[in-house]
Amino acid sequence: QVQLVESGGGLVQAGGSLRLSCAASGSSSSINAMGWYRQTPGKQRELVAIITIGGTKKYADSVKGRFTISRDNAKNTVYLQMNSLKPDDTAVYFCNAGAYYSGTYVSGSWGQGTQVTVSS
């Protein structure tokens, strides 16, 4: 079982930056990737970015060129650096520990979420 704790959300003006952190504890042999999702009221969670154990990174088209996912293995922490933020990026952001196979990410354990609000 993996436990995830997100931090780093907040209020920022459009064009600004935030860095989200996800600290992981525990382990599971089925986990080979970590992901960030986001969700706004009334909508499904959207996969924003993933990073695999091998270092492969994938991004949603809506955040390519603005968001960067990274990890610090020594700290068991995954980061999401968000630049050039837009009001449409406003959402609750969730960290996820899952699996990536043949181009598909399968979600696993979830964090509690952290609110990101971008003002115009």
Side-chain angles (χ1 to χ4, degrees):
Q1 189 75 353
V2 176
Q3 291 78 44
L4 305 171
V5 178
E6 302 101 331
S7 61
L11 173 65
V12 64
Q13 287 189 331
S17 298
L18 282 175
R19 188 178 79 158
L20 305 182
S21 300
C22 173
S25 59
S27 64
S28 172
S29 59
S30 62
I31 294 172
N32 70 357
M34 299 286 291
W36 284 98
Y37 285 75
R38 65 186 180 186
Q39 187 173 27
T40 54
K43 294 187 177 181
Q44 287 189 331
R45 282 185 192 182
E46 172 192 20
L47 182 59
V48 174
I50 68 160
I51 184 167
T52 70
I53 288 178
T56 298
K57 301 178 183 181
K58 300 289 185 181
Y59 299 94
D61 288 343
S62 58
V63 306
K64 280 180 182 176
R66 300 188 298 121
F67 290 12
T68 302
I69 191 169
S70 63
R71 67 178 188 220
D72 184 332
N73 290 333
K75 296 181 178 180
N76 287 332
T77 300
V78 174
Y79 303 98
L80 185 68
Q81 178 66 43
M82 306 184 294
N83 298 329
S84 301
L85 282 162
K86 307 174 181 180
D88 283 350
D89 295 318
T90 296
V92 178
Y93 284 72
F94 295 89
C95 181
N96 185 272
Y100 184 72
Y101 298 107
S102 302
T104 300
Y105 182 79
V106 179
S107 62
S109 300
W110 294 96
Q112 82 286 356
T114 185
Q115 176 71 47
V116 171
T117 302
V118 184
S119 63
S120 57

